[in-house]
Amino acid sequence: LGSYGLKHRIMRIAPDTRFQITAACNGVLAGLVSVNAGCDSYHAWSALLVGFLGSLVYCFTCKWMLEFKIDDPLEAAMVHGFCGIFGTLIVAFFDTQRGILYGGNFGYLWVQMFGCAIIGVWSCMGSYLYFKGTYRGSVRLAFDEVIMEGGAATTNLKRGQTKSRAERLRELAPMDSEALIGLKSQRHVAK
């Protein structure tokens, strides 16, 4: 684990050189995600190499996503998406039973690529069906709900039950709700 984080600290491609704990943790996680697909069929040295390369994949995809202005504040697509695909594909090379480096053929690489495509289609379709089924209007939170830390302001209502935002705030935080409502009204007056 330490080698992935250290490598990520040394190789981080970012405009600033400050230490970023989230970037270091994501570098470690990227190495672990990359190793995960073939963890039962790697030698120790190849697992270390795959983790190191997975952390590099994370670094370069972070830079790539920034260049294309794709917003992913948690960097989940880079860690789990790109490093997951990389980890699945690299199994075709380092698998001790059928890997290309151990005398296997490139047919195994095609099998891994097909598996990545199937997983991608399954994930996209599952996400589409889930979000289409749960979408009930705007996905943006109101100002007072953001102040109340997002989900806390919306989870106490049952389906079909309607209450004003002010009533929900009073139930969730009776002492601070008036101040929050006043803060919201001051914000609208300032505009």
Side-chain angles (χ1 to χ4, degrees), residues 7-159:
K7 191 263 357 123
H8 183 72
R9 175 66 188 125
I10 294 168
M11 299 292 292
R12 176 72 176 171
I13 301 167
D16 58 357
T17 57
R18 294 175 295 145
F19 180 74
Q20 300 170 347
I21 189 70
T22 56
C25 289
N26 280 340
V28 171
L29 189 56
L32 293 173
V33 167
S34 299
V35 171
N36 197 31
C39 63
D40 64 334
S41 61
Y42 290 154
H43 289 298
W45 68 269
S46 59
L48 187 64
L49 180 62
V50 168
F52 183 82
L53 293 174
S55 192
L56 280 177
V57 167
Y58 166 70
C59 289
F60 290 117
T61 55
C62 283
K63 181 151 178 69
W64 180 75
M65 295 280 267
L66 286 174
E67 285 178 10
F68 286 101
K69 296 182 180 8
I70 299 172
D71 185 31
D72 186 3
L74 297 178
E75 299 177 344
M78 289 76 101
V79 172
H80 298 283
F82 291 108
C83 291
I85 291 169
F86 167 76
T88 303
L89 295 177
I90 204 76
V91 170
F93 294 95
F94 289 105
D95 187 343
T96 56
Q97 304 289 318
R98 296 175 284 176
I100 295 169
L101 297 178
Y102 292 94
N105 60 15
F106 280 92
Y108 192 38
L109 180 60
W110 288 108
V111 169
Q112 295 299 99
M113 291 170 92
F114 182 71
C116 286
I118 294 297
I119 292 168
V121 168
W122 177 80
S123 298
C124 289
M125 289 303 297
S127 297
Y128 173 78
L129 292 174
Y130 174 77
F131 289 117
K132 190 70 172 169
T134 59
Y135 180 72
R136 291 188 211 110
S138 176
V139 293
R140 303 221 14 130
L141 294 176
F143 179 73
D144 53 355
E145 291 171 340
V146 171
I147 296 292
M148 294 299 296
E149 298 178 7
T154 59
T155 54
N156 283 347
L157 292 179
K158 294 185 174 94
R159 185 173 250 190

